[in-house]
Amino acid sequence: MMALRVAVIAGGPSSEASVSRASAAGVQRALVEAGHSVDVLELDGALAGRLSGGAYDVVFPAVHGAVGEDGCLQGLLEVLGLPYVGSSVLASALAMSKPHAKVQFRAAALPLARDMSVRATGDFDALARRIRAEIGRAVVVKPGSGGSAIGVETIPSDAGDDVLSAALRRALELDAVVLVEEFKAGKEVTCAVLEDEQGTRALPPTLIQPKAAVFYDFRSKYAPQGSAHLCPAPFSADLIARIQSAAVLAHTVLGCRDLSRVDFVVDDAASEITVLEVNTLPGMTATSLFPEAAAAAGISFPSLCDGLVRRAAARPRTAAPFAPEMPT
């Protein structure tokens, strides 16, 4: 098959820029191994000009966080008329905003933790008391957007309201909207979703065992030996099927495209699953969770990246709408 000229986008004004650059390097190596010509471009103010003058066949966004994963970059690519890997503008924006995503999940009857979205307030102590009265004493505080567990804090039931109040203040320094969820005890599990010639399908789920912290935080994700990944997860066939079904549904209701990774908490003792969020551009180093799941399904990293860029490049272009002339 014909080699493609691919622009891999990395970095940007995001707290996850360094993670993005690691993903971009992994994607570049995989695509070169698959026979493509690849440039890695930084997500900055000069990007539009570089893309316009680069004669690229397709773009692979290997970005995480603000501007790259939230629909902004995707909007630029739509304006430039360049095909790209991953979800379109709306799905990217919905998935990035955890409160908005949960509205769609709830409408689809996906299993969720109780939650409350909060903004800055003059009385954080009163807000902390109200949160606990409504959703429980043990909670998880998350910035409303972003990823890599940056700014996420778990507040145990025996912690004082002042601890929750302080966590809310810290999270609101990172995002104007903060999602507070009921804490769900269980194992951390993720399930990759891939669209290919077989249709939209879930890959084998992965059980994540954090080593650097009590949950899968930034250090556990990226520090050497920070976590262990068991893929396929050692669950019953019924539980695996329910995780995979929920992952595909979460991917579908947000309108995601090409690939995503859906995170869960799984209480396998009670056979209960809870959907947490959808990542539309998951980490893509050779040892990231998505490529690991693909490998467990028999798909090598070069084959995975090759399939994604070829699928995007072959996608029908959006037709220009009919624009009637203004009446005189």
Side-chain angles (χ1 to χ4, degrees):
M1 288 189 288
M2 183 181 69
L4 300 174
R5 182 160 170 73
V6 186
V8 176
I9 311 300
S14 164
S15 58
E16 299 175 80
S18 60
V19 179
S20 163
R21 294 185 187 105
S23 284
V27 170
Q28 180 187 34
R29 286 191 294 269
L31 288 173
V32 168
E33 186 174 340
H36 300 290
S37 171
V38 185
D39 292 333
V40 176
L41 306 180
E42 183 72 13
L43 177 52
D44 58 21
L47 177 62
R50 291 196 295 268
L51 286 171
S52 296
Y56 294 108
D57 298 306
V58 64
V59 175
F60 196 129
V63 287
H64 309 304
V67 179
E69 199 173 0
D70 59 4
C72 293
L73 171 60
Q74 290 73 16
L76 171 64
L77 297 173
E78 293 285 351
V79 170
L80 295 176
L82 284 169
Y84 57 94
V85 171
S87 293
S88 61
V89 175
L90 179 58
S92 298
L94 281 173
M96 177 58 71
S97 174
K98 295 177 178 67
H100 286 89
K102 290 196 76 171
V103 171
Q104 305 303 313
F105 297 157
R106 194 163 278 118
L110 282 161
L112 303 172
R114 292 180 295 172
D115 67 89
M116 183 185 298
S117 296
V118 302
R119 295 178 180 269
T121 176
D123 190 344
F124 281 94
D125 293 335
L127 176 60
R129 291 192 295 272
R130 182 164 67 89
I131 288 169
R132 283 179 142 171
E134 292 190 18
I135 65 175
R137 289 196 56 81
V139 297
V140 182
V141 177
K142 304 176 178 180
S145 59
S148 291
I150 295 171
V152 175
E153 296 189 46
T154 300
I155 312 299
S157 59
D158 58 357
D161 290 343
D162 59 320
V163 176
L164 174 55
S165 175
L168 293 170
R169 290 176 186 272
R170 287 189 291 272
L172 283 163
E173 290 176 357
L174 301 175
D175 201 307
V177 179
V178 167
L179 181 68
V180 185
E181 290 182 318
E182 167 194 15
F183 174 77
K184 289 281 192 176
K187 297 173 180 176
E188 296 186 71
V189 173
T190 195
C191 187
V193 178
L194 178 65
E195 296 180 7
D196 59 12
E197 64 280 357
Q198 298 185 38
T200 302
R201 58 182 174 130
L203 301 180
T206 301
L207 171 63
I208 301 166
Q209 297 177 322
K211 303 292 186 182
V214 295
F215 73 101
Y216 196 44
D217 68 348
F218 189 86
R219 288 179 300 147
S220 294
K221 289 174 186 286
Y222 303 116
Q225 290 79 52
S227 63
H229 305 161
L230 301 182
C231 185
F235 298 147
S236 69
D238 172 70
L239 181 53
I240 286 176
R242 288 194 293 114
I243 292 168
Q244 290 178 314
S245 176
V248 170
L249 180 56
H251 173 98
T252 303
V253 299
L254 292 185
C256 296
R257 187 175 68 185
D258 292 341
L259 76 165
S260 72
R261 204 194 72 233
V262 185
D263 295 339
F264 297 84
V265 169
V266 176
D267 180 356
D268 54 348
S271 196
E272 178 183 279
I273 67 174
T274 301
V275 174
L276 298 179
E277 62 184 79
V278 173
N279 304 275
T280 55
L281 290 173
M284 291 294 282
T285 68
T287 56
S288 293
L289 290 159
F290 195 104
E292 284 183 342
I299 307 167
S300 70
F301 193 29
S303 294
L304 172 66
C305 293
D306 176 69
L308 288 168
V309 295
R310 291 193 184 280
R311 180 180 178 85
R315 190 173 290 132
R317 306 294 192 268
T318 302
F322 171 70
E325 293 184 6
M326 290 294 291
T328 58

